[in-house]
Amino acid sequence: MHDDRSLVEARLRRVLDERIRPAVYPESVPLEVAVWHAPGEPVPVAEGLAAEPGPIETGARWGAPWGTSWFRVTGTVPQAWAGRTVEALLDLGFDENMPGFQCEGLVYRPDGTPVKGLNPRNQWVRIGAPVAGGEEVRLHIEAASNPVILGYHLFVPTRLGDRDTAGGEPQYTLTRMDLAVFDETVWQLVLDLEVLGELMAELPVDSARRWEILRAVEKALDSVDLQDVNGTAARARAQLTEVLAAPAGPSAHRISAVGHAHIDSAWLWPLRETVRKVARTVSNMTALLEDEPDFVFAMSQAQQWAWVKEHRPEVWAGVKKAVAEGRFVPAGGMWVESDTNMPGSEAMARQFVHGKRFFLDEFGIENDEAWLPDTFGFAAGLPQIIRAAGATRLLTQKISWSQTNGFPHHTFQWEGIDGTRIFTHFPPVDTYNCAMKGSEIAHAARNFKDKGVARHSLAPTGWGDGGGGTTREMVAKAARLRDLEGSAKVVWEPPRAFFDKAEAEYPEPPVWVGELYLELHRATLTSQAKTKQGNRRSEHLLREAELWAATAAVRRGFPYPYEELDRTWKTVLLHQFHDILPGSSIAWVHREARATYERVACELNGVIDAAQRALAGEGGTSVVFNAAPHTRAGVPAGGAGTPAAEGVTRLGARPDGGYVLDNGLLRVEIDARGLVVSAYDIRADRETIAPGAAANLLQIHPDFPNMWDAWDVDRFYRNAVTDLSDADSVSAGEDGVSVRIVRSFGASRVSQVLSLPPGERRLVLDTEVDWHETEKFLKLAFPLDVHAERYASETQFGHFYRPTHTNTSWEAAKFEACNHRFVHLAEPGWGVAVVNDSTYGHDVTRTVRTDGDRGTTTTVRVSLLRAPRFPDPETDQGVHRFRHALVPGADIADAVREGWRVNQPERLVTGAGEAEVAPLVTVDEDAVVVTAVKLADDGSGDVVVRCHEALGGRARATLTAGFEVARVTVTDLLERPLPDATEPDRDGSRITVRLRPFELVTLRFGRA
C-alpha cells in the first residue's frame, strides 16, 4: 500500500479548521450590547449590575489597563430555533493562545447569580437545551481588561505592570456578541477527530493501530459533505465508532486526571485581581461539575477559598454544594502554594496550620498531600514539616524544568534532613496545564521513569497560571481516552485516590535524600530585596509578638491578641506565595507588598510594646527583653533583665592606611580601600582571610539571562566581574569604635559601617546601597582561609550540607543556592560563619592557591541586589540596607546563635525597679532551639512550645515551664495530640525530651 499518511493528515487539519469546527455554530444572530466603565478600582457586583450602560458595537475598542467594564447583552431567541440548543458567544477580544493572561469576564444573571467565567478558551454561555423559542436573554458581564504583560515577544520591559504607570489606552476590541445554535453532533465529531488525530500522530509509523485510525479518519472525512457538515456529521461519526471502541492493552499506562486551575495568587496581576480570577474559575468549575458527572476538580490554596467565601458569597454557595458531593476537592493543605526555599521554620509550619485548619473548619476535610506544582524547588527541611502537619504526600511539577540534569524518578520517597520520608510524585506529563492533548498523554506514558514497577501517574488538567480551569472539551477528550487502544487509560479522580493507587502498587520506591533543587530560577533568591526583607522581619516580629503576648497573658493576664495574630500570620503567609516572595511579580504587587510589610511591622511592634510594658510595669529602670532562643549577656532566652558588661572595643590606625578593630577576641584590619585584609581569631591563633585576598569585597556582574529576567541568573554571569575596591572615603565612625566606608560606582553609592561588638567574635557589616543600576548583579565576597569540601546552609528546623566542589553536573548546577540566617564552613576544630538579616541567595566556591602555602581559599559570596527589567522595569531601584556578620572560630552552635542574634535583636524598655521577667519556658541544652512560644490557637489558654534539635546530633534536654503545669501533650503542628505519642517524662513543670538530629517537637502545656 502506498504511504499516504501525510495526505490524509493534511486533509484532516484543513477540513477540521475550515469546515467542521465552524459548523459547531451553524446559525447566529447578534445581541445588543451596552457597557459601563467603572471608574478606578472594581465595584461591588450590585453596583455594577445597577449602573446605566451606554451603547457599544462589536469592533469597538474597550478596556483601559486594569480597568473593569460592565457589559449588558440582551436579545431574543428566534422562534425558528425552537427545540434546538442555543448558546451565547461572548468574545471580549480574546486571543485563544493566552488563557489566563489577558482579559476575562464573569457572567451574571440580572439577579446577581453568577453563571460562569469567560476566558480565551471558554467563550460560551448555555441559554437553553432545548429552547422553546422567543426567550428573552439578558446577561451582565463583569469584564477585566487586564493588560498582556507576557506577550509573544517574551520578557519585554513594560510599564503596564502597575496601574500608576500603565496609562489609559484601550487594550481590547469587542469581537463577537451573538446568540448561536449549538450543534452537539458536530461538536462531538470535532472531538472524535481531534482525539484520533492526536493519538495517531503519537503512534509508531509501523504500528497497525496507527494505520487503522488513519483509514477510519479517511472514511469519516469521505462521509462529510463539506456543503452540509451539520447534516452529515452523524454519518461521519459512525465511521469512527469501531476505532474509538477498541480497548487499551492490559499494560497501558494509567493516568489519574485531576481537574485543575493553577491560579497564581499574584504574578502578572495584583492580588485584588486574583480574587476575581478565582471567582471566575470557580464559577466555571461548579457549572462544569453539574454538566459532567465523571469530572472531579481540585483546588489548593486555602487563601483562594477564603477569598471566594469573603468576596463572592454567591459563588461560595455553589462551591460548598460541590464539596459536599465530593467532586470539588480541597487540595494541598497550605494557605498558599508558597515558595519553600526562603520561608523560615515557623512560617513554613504555619502555611500548613492555617491551610489545613481552614479546610477542616469549613468542610471537615483534611488533606493528606502537599500540592505545589509550580514552586521553584524544595528545601531539605520540608518533609518533616509536611509530616508534622499530618500529611504524608507531595505533588510537584516544576523540577521537570531543570536545565541541566533530568530527575531520575517520577514516584519516590523524599527524605528530609531529620530522616522523615514523604511519598512524592512528579507528573510525567510535564505540565500543570494539561489539556488532554494526545501529545501530552503520550508524553506522560513514554516519559514515566518508573515503568516496570509502577504504572500510575497524575495529570493536573485545565488552564492555569491566570486561571480558567478545565473545559468541556478536555472532559470530552478524557472520556474518549478512558479505555482506548494505543493510549494511556485516563480516569477522573481526586488526588487521594491517585496516591492510594500509586502507593499500593509501589511499596518500596526509590529514595531521594536532601533538597529538591530546581536547576532554574535561581535569581528568585535575590530579586526584589525589600520584599524579602519584609518577609524575614515579619517572621521574627511574629515570633516575638507571640512570645511576649503569651508571657504577659500568663504573668499579667494580658489579653492575648488571637484575631490580630491570626490575621497577620495569614497576611505574611500570603506574601510567601511563589511569585511574591521570589520577586517575580509585576511592580504593582511589590509596591503593595512593601506597604503591607510596613503595616505589619507597625501592628506587631504595637503588640510587642503593649505586652512588654505589661510585663515591665511602670518606672524608669532600663530592662532588656531578649526574644532570642539563647541567653545574651546574662539575660535569659525569652526573658528580660539587665545585661552584664562584656568588655571594650578599640579602634586604631594601620601604618599603611585604614584601621584596626580589636576587642581582645578578634583583631580586624581594614585597609585604605575599606577592605578587610585580616580577621584574626586571637584565642585560636588563626587568620580567617585567605592570604593575599580581602573580604568585604563588593563585586558587580552583568546580569542578562537568556530568559525569565527576574527569575534566572545564568552561569555565564560569572565570566565578567568588576571588583568595587575603590573607596570615596574610609574613616572612623561617629561612635569612635567603628569604620565607615563610602564607595561610588555607576549611578549608585554604597555606605558601610564595620563594627566589632565588645565581648563577641563577630565583625558586623552594615551596608546601605543606593542602587540605580540596570541588569547588574551585586555580590559581597568573603574569601576565607578554610579547606572545606562542603558547607552548611541553614534551612527550616536545621541545616544541610552542599559541596564546595563541582565534581558532577549536579553539583555544578548549584552555582546559586539558598540559605536562611547562616552559612558555615569548617575544618576540624575551627570554622567560620557568615550570617545575615535578610538575604537568601549566595554562592560558595573553592580554589587552591598556586603560590605561597598552596592552601585552599573557600569564598562565600552573599547576593545583595539585582536589576532585571521584567516584569518590573524598576526592580530594586532605590535605597537598601543589609546587615551581615563574619564570625571567625564559629562552630555550628555559634552559627545558629549568631544567626538568631542578627535577626532577633534585644529591645530596651523602661519599667519598674524589679522589672526582671522570667521566661515562660527555659531549655537547659543549647542544641535545642525554641522556635515558638504562644498560646494555643483554640483559646484554651494552654501554652504551646515548639522546639527542634539544631546542630545535627542527638539531644536530651529539660524544658522547664515558668508556671504550674497540669498536663503536657505532644502534638502535631495543628496542636492536636499525636495518636501514637506518649506523655513526655515530667517532674512537675520540668519536661525531659529526647530528640534525634533535627527533630522538631510541639508540646502543649495545660496550665494548672
Side-chain angles (χ1 to χ4, degrees):
M1 181 180 291
H2 295 294
D3 185 352
D4 60 349
R5 288 177 299 112
S6 298
L7 187 68
V8 177
E9 290 166 3
R11 180 187 180 194
L12 173 61
R13 286 192 296 272
R14 185 175 185 192
V15 172
L16 265 175
D17 286 344
E18 297 184 23
R19 292 293 188 270
I20 301 179
R21 287 194 185 99
V24 170
Y25 292 104
E27 299 176 56
S28 64
V29 295
L31 289 160
E32 291 187 14
V33 189
V35 66
W36 174 71
H37 302 293
E41 284 296 275
V43 299
V45 172
E47 184 177 342
L49 294 173
E52 187 59 39
I56 187 173
E57 300 291 333
T58 56
R61 300 284 289 171
W62 72 277
W66 307 114
T68 301
S69 298
W70 283 84
F71 291 94
R72 185 186 67 196
V73 295
T74 55
T76 304
V77 177
Q79 288 289 349
W81 292 358
R84 304 172 78 178
T85 298
V86 174
E87 294 181 344
L89 300 182
L90 308 173
D91 186 345
L92 299 172
F94 297 125
D95 180 334
E96 288 194 353
N97 296 316
M98 291 190 176
F101 292 96
Q102 53 168 236
C103 60
E104 299 170 20
L106 182 53
V107 180
Y108 294 89
R109 296 188 179 93
D111 64 359
T113 305
V115 180
K116 67 188 294 283
L118 297 177
N119 64 62
R121 294 296 178 100
N122 211 323
Q123 304 177 22
W124 59 273
V125 175
R126 180 64 57 88
I127 301 300
V131 296
E135 291 95 335
E136 294 297 321
V137 175
R138 184 185 181 97
L139 298 171
H140 298 262
I141 307 168
E142 180 190 17
S145 50
N146 302 333
V148 175
I149 306 295
L150 190 68
Y152 287 105
H153 188 182
L154 302 175
F155 317 119
V156 175
T158 175
R159 299 283 177 178
L160 290 172
D162 195 328
R163 64 182 178 187
D164 292 344
T165 59
E169 200 61 32
Q171 301 290 293
Y172 297 102
T173 300
L174 196 63
T175 301
R176 185 178 187 182
M177 294 278 157
D178 289 348
L179 285 178
V181 172
F182 175 72
D183 189 327
E184 184 169 355
T185 302
V186 175
W187 182 78
Q188 296 283 6
L189 175 61
V190 169
L191 290 159
D192 290 344
L193 291 170
E194 285 184 353
V195 167
L196 290 171
E198 291 167 2
L199 172 60
M200 179 172 60
E202 298 299 325
L203 294 171
V205 174
D206 59 358
S207 72
R209 176 63 170 163
R210 178 163 182 161
W211 288 91
E212 289 170 358
I213 294 173
L214 185 81
R215 293 305 163 216
V217 167
E218 186 175 36
K219 289 178 182 178
L221 295 177
D222 289 342
S223 299
V224 175
D225 182 344
L226 299 185
Q227 275 66 53
D228 184 17
V229 172
N230 300 88
T232 56
R235 186 173 69 194
R237 290 199 73 201
Q239 299 293 338
L240 303 173
T241 301
E242 186 174 344
V243 289
L244 283 168
S251 63
H253 186 67
R254 269 72 165 167
I255 292 178
S256 299
V258 179
H260 188 237
H262 171 71
I263 303 178
D264 286 310
S265 290
W267 180 27
L268 304 181
W269 45 86
L271 288 166
R272 66 91 152 143
E273 191 55 31
T274 314
V275 175
R276 302 200 297 172
K277 281 179 173 286
V278 174
R280 292 188 284 260
T281 296
V282 166
S283 296
N284 261 351
M285 296 304 95
T286 52
L288 190 61
L289 286 166
E290 291 183 0
D291 294 339
E292 302 289 349
D294 293 332
F295 177 55
V296 177
F297 182 76
M299 189 169 89
S300 69
Q301 307 193 78
Q303 170 68 89
Q304 296 188 0
W305 292 70
W307 278 333
V308 177
K309 180 182 179 183
E310 178 184 357
H311 297 284
R312 288 290 198 268
E314 66 282 3
V315 178
W316 182 247
V319 171
K320 292 188 72 174
K321 175 177 178 292
V323 172
E325 295 168 351
R327 298 174 58 215
F328 196 123
V329 183
M334 296 175 68
W335 191 246
V336 295
E337 290 181 12
S338 73
D339 180 81
T340 75
N341 286 312
M342 290 176 281
S345 303
E346 275 303 308
M348 200 73 255
R350 304 302 175 94
Q351 285 286 352
F352 288 90
V353 169
H354 287 282
K356 297 195 80 170
R357 188 171 287 146
F358 180 89
F359 294 137
L360 282 164
D361 291 347
E362 293 294 333
F363 309 113
I365 291 174
E366 180 157 11
N367 309 94
D368 196 35
E369 77 288 329
W371 183 276
L372 293 164
D374 191 32
T375 297
F376 309 151
F378 299 90
L382 188 58
Q384 179 175 207
I385 298 171
I386 294 173
R387 180 79 66 167
T392 61
R393 297 155 166 176
L394 168 67
L395 178 135
T396 185
Q397 181 66 65
K398 202 70 170 192
I399 298 297
S400 68
W401 287 39
S402 284
Q403 289 181 316
T404 306
N405 299 284
F407 197 80
H409 319 296
H410 280 111
T411 303
F412 60 100
Q413 291 278 9
W414 177 30
E415 182 177 316
I417 57 174
D418 74 313
T420 296
R421 291 181 176 179
I422 295 295
F423 189 82
T424 303
H425 181 64
F426 292 171
V429 71
D430 281 350
T431 178
Y432 48 80
N433 295 324
C434 177
M436 282 291 134
K437 294 179 181 177
S439 56
E440 295 170 332
I441 302 305
H443 175 75
R446 284 194 302 263
N447 187 41
F448 187 54
K449 291 184 171 65
D450 301 288
K451 289 188 281 283
V453 288
R455 63 173 58 177
H456 283 87
S457 70
L458 186 147
T461 302
W463 299 114
D465 291 311
T470 318
T471 65
R472 63 182 177 184
E473 288 77 16
M474 295 175 194
V475 176
K477 284 188 171 186
R480 289 161 172 80
L481 297 171
R482 174 180 285 272
D483 192 9
L484 183 62
E485 183 185 356
S487 171
K489 299 175 73 171
V490 177
V491 61
W492 293 105
E493 56 188 358
R496 182 185 293 273
F498 159 74
F499 275 110
D500 286 347
K501 291 177 181 177
E503 285 193 275
E505 75 175 359
Y506 206 5
E508 296 184 11
V511 177
W512 182 271
V513 178
E515 67 180 329
L516 293 171
Y517 180 92
L518 177 64
E519 295 169 355
L520 191 75
H521 293 358
R522 303 166 181 89
T524 56
L525 303 173
T526 306
S527 297
Q528 298 287 1
K530 288 184 178 177
T531 299
K532 292 169 171 58
Q533 288 177 325
N535 173 73
R536 179 77 70 85
R537 185 62 178 140
S538 296
E539 289 179 350
H540 287 84
L541 286 171
L542 275 161
R543 179 186 183 277
E544 198 174 359
E546 288 180 339
L547 168 66
W548 299 129
T551 305
V554 173
R555 296 269 187 266
R556 301 283 190 269
F558 180 79
Y560 192 80
Y562 291 101
E563 292 184 4
E564 186 173 353
L565 290 171
D566 179 81
R567 182 183 69 252
T568 306
W569 263 117
K570 289 172 179 174
T571 298
V572 173
L573 297 178
L574 166 59
H575 285 79
Q576 291 178 339
F577 178 75
H578 66 252
D579 276 307
I580 303 179
L581 180 54
S584 46
S585 289
I586 55 174
W588 189 345
V589 173
H590 292 289
R591 172 172 57 79
E592 288 190 334
R594 291 191 293 271
T596 297
Y597 285 129
E598 290 177 6
R599 186 182 71 250
V600 163
C602 181
E603 292 174 354
L604 291 176
N605 278 314
V607 171
I608 293 165
D609 181 68
Q612 288 180 337
R613 292 197 176 281
L615 288 163
E618 297 296 327
T621 302
S622 294
V623 59
V624 170
F625 280 77
N626 173 24
H630 308 93
T631 297
R632 292 182 184 168
V635 179
T642 304
E646 292 189 313
V648 296
T649 298
R650 294 179 175 83
L651 177 68
R654 289 180 78 242
D656 297 331
Y659 295 89
V660 178
L661 289 166
D662 191 329
N663 67 359
L665 299 174
L666 286 182
R667 184 171 65 248
V668 176
E669 296 189 32
I670 301 161
D671 70 8
R673 303 170 297 172
L675 303 179
V676 176
V677 293
S678 175
Y680 188 72
D681 182 346
I682 296 172
R683 184 171 59 186
D685 189 23
R686 172 74 184 255
E687 177 58 59
T688 306
I689 309 302
N696 190 39
L697 176 63
L698 289 163
Q699 296 180 303
I700 195 165
H701 298 268
D703 183 20
F704 190 65
N706 289 342
M707 296 178 69
W708 299 105
D709 297 43
W711 295 257
D712 282 359
V713 56
D714 290 330
R715 191 179 186 90
F716 56 72
Y717 88 92
R718 291 183 179 175
N719 294 349
V721 60
T722 301
D723 292 345
L724 303 178
S725 55
D726 294 335
D728 299 348
S729 64
V730 179
S731 59
E734 293 181 2
D735 59 3
V737 288
S738 62
V739 178
R740 185 172 186 271
I741 303 128
V742 177
R743 306 183 194 279
S744 300
F745 59 94
S748 303
R749 185 175 183 270
V750 175
S751 174
Q752 290 183 297
V753 175
L754 275 55
S755 58
L756 194 58
E760 298 173 12
R761 285 185 302 160
R762 61 187 178 108
L763 174 65
V764 178
L765 301 90
D766 288 302
T767 303
E768 179 179 289
V769 185
D770 189 3
W771 180 247
H772 297 284
E773 305 307 303
T774 299
E775 293 164 353
K776 296 289 193 297
F777 196 2
L778 185 65
K779 293 255 186 180
L780 178 62
F782 299 88
L784 307 173
D785 189 13
V786 178
H787 179 86
E789 294 183 358
R790 65 177 190 168
Y791 72 97
S793 174
E794 189 186 32
T795 189
Q796 293 100 2
F797 296 110
H799 60 268
F800 70 104
Y801 290 93
R802 294 190 184 96
T804 60
H805 58 76
T806 55
N807 283 358
T808 71
S809 59
W810 292 88
E811 291 146 357
K814 295 182 180 181
F815 59 82
E816 185 78 7
C818 183
N819 69 285
H820 286 187
R821 289 167 294 217
F822 71 80
V823 295
H824 177 266
L825 55 159
E827 298 171 0
W830 193 86
V832 184
V834 177
V835 302
N836 72 84
D837 74 341
S838 59
T839 54
Y840 296 92
H842 70 278
D843 66 80
V844 178
T845 56
R846 66 197 300 269
T847 58
V848 174
R849 301 186 286 273
T850 57
D851 53 7
D853 65 355
R854 297 186 181 179
T856 302
T857 298
T858 305
T859 301
V860 176
R861 296 200 308 164
V862 177
S863 302
L864 296 183
L865 291 165
R866 298 183 66 238
R869 300 185 63 214
F870 182 88
D872 176 4
E874 299 295 327
T875 301
D876 280 334
Q877 301 299 298
V879 176
H880 303 269
R881 295 176 181 86
F882 308 95
R883 172 167 283 189
H884 295 86
L886 177 69
V887 190
D891 59 17
I892 281 289
D894 296 321
V896 172
R897 183 176 57 253
E898 295 303 330
W900 276 100
R901 186 191 298 274
V902 79
N903 283 274
Q904 197 90 77
E906 303 92 334
R907 291 177 184 257
L908 182 64
V909 178
T910 57
E914 67 285 354
E916 288 192 3
V917 177
L920 212 52
V921 63
T922 60
V923 185
D924 68 351
E925 169 57 66
D926 273 355
V928 176
V929 170
V930 174
T931 60
V933 177
K934 59 191 287 294
L935 294 193
D937 291 340
D938 61 8
S940 63
D942 289 356
V943 175
V944 173
V945 177
R946 188 150 36 247
C947 59
H948 72 287
E949 196 288 320
L951 307 186
R954 295 187 180 271
R956 179 185 183 278
T958 298
L959 280 70
T960 303
F963 52 90
E964 291 188 30
V965 175
R967 66 193 175 279
V968 181
T969 309
V970 181
T971 74
D972 65 6
L973 294 179
L974 278 71
E975 302 168 7
R976 305 173 299 188
L978 291 177
D980 56 350
T982 57
E983 183 170 333
D985 296 340
R986 180 163 74 92
D987 180 9
S989 296
R990 293 163 57 85
I991 313 301
T992 299
V993 295
R994 292 172 175 84
L995 302 178
R996 66 178 183 270
F998 300 128
E999 182 181 5
L1000 73 87
V1001 64
T1002 304
L1003 299 170
R1004 181 168 178 153
F1005 292 78
R1007 291 155 60 192

